Amino acid sequence: MQQGFRIIEQKDIEYFQRILPENQVIYDDPEKLLAYGADYGGEFNFKAELILIPKTKEEISAIAEYCNIQLIALTVRGAGTSLSAATVPVYGGVILSMEKFNRILKIDTENFQAHVEPGVINEQFAMEVEKHGLYYPPDPASRGSSFLGGNVAHASGGPRAIKYGTTRDYILNLEVVLADGEIIETGANTLKFSTGYNLTHLFIGSEGTLGIITRIVVRLIPLPKYRMLLSAPFASIKSAADCVPAIMKEGIIPSALEFMEKDAIDFTLQYLNLDNTFDETIKAHLLIDLD
């Protein structure tokens, strides 16, 4: 064990079994311990000693306080879609899974905001708010599987950042459990909040190093009425790249604008076993999403 952390003992397991239901304390399932010790990248894998799956902020508070006092490594895990080993238990100890924090608590249509738990999947949340005529633009590449808590912890961007900004621009307030178990709110549920330090932005992008997010207050905007997706072909990579600032100078701000070179298109078609019907003189495409 490194960095002053100690290994899990029987007394630790017994403590966690007292504060959590039996099926939310996993220590004797080698397959799960190994699976929770890796992320989607798969390059790094450190076997967890213990997996805890809490359902309330009070349970998380008790876990964090105990691990802090007992010098037990604590790694927070969301959906595990990270590609950079952010959820891998390098020092062993406890994996704290946020998978049961999966509720949309409130969608406030009058104030254009929502209260949501960190284990809600990005795409599911976006689809739910659209039913109310509202829009949550941040769209990381893993939106169909990544948790909102992970998006906040990583300050995720995505293709819509060109027009709408990143996750950071849509978070009003966070409820967070600190390392010693204290539960705090980082800001206020208002657009304008200029009192004191901006703790909300400090926690966004901190990747779980400052605290454990248990509730997120999200800013929403009206849902765009129209949307169009264009695929524009170009005879050279340079002409495709030159077109991007030209579009902007015309006062047109796409909601997403992605570059695809010919090799990427060819590899995709091969992977999907589709015939290549693209003109061989075309060297690149721009995917332009307008709303």
Side-chain angles (χ1 to χ4, degrees), residues 228-232 286-290:
M228 178 182 294
L229 181 63
L230 308 176
S231 177
L286 289 182
L287 295 180
I288 307 169
D289 196 3
L290 298 166

Side-chain angles (χ1 to χ4, degrees), residues 262-282:
K262 184 177 184 300
D263 286 346
I265 296 171
D266 290 342
F267 289 142
T268 302
L269 292 171
Q270 290 173 22
Y271 180 79
L272 296 174
N273 292 318
L274 297 175
D275 293 333
N276 192 341
T277 59
F278 286 92
D279 188 331
E280 286 299 314
T281 63
I282 301 303

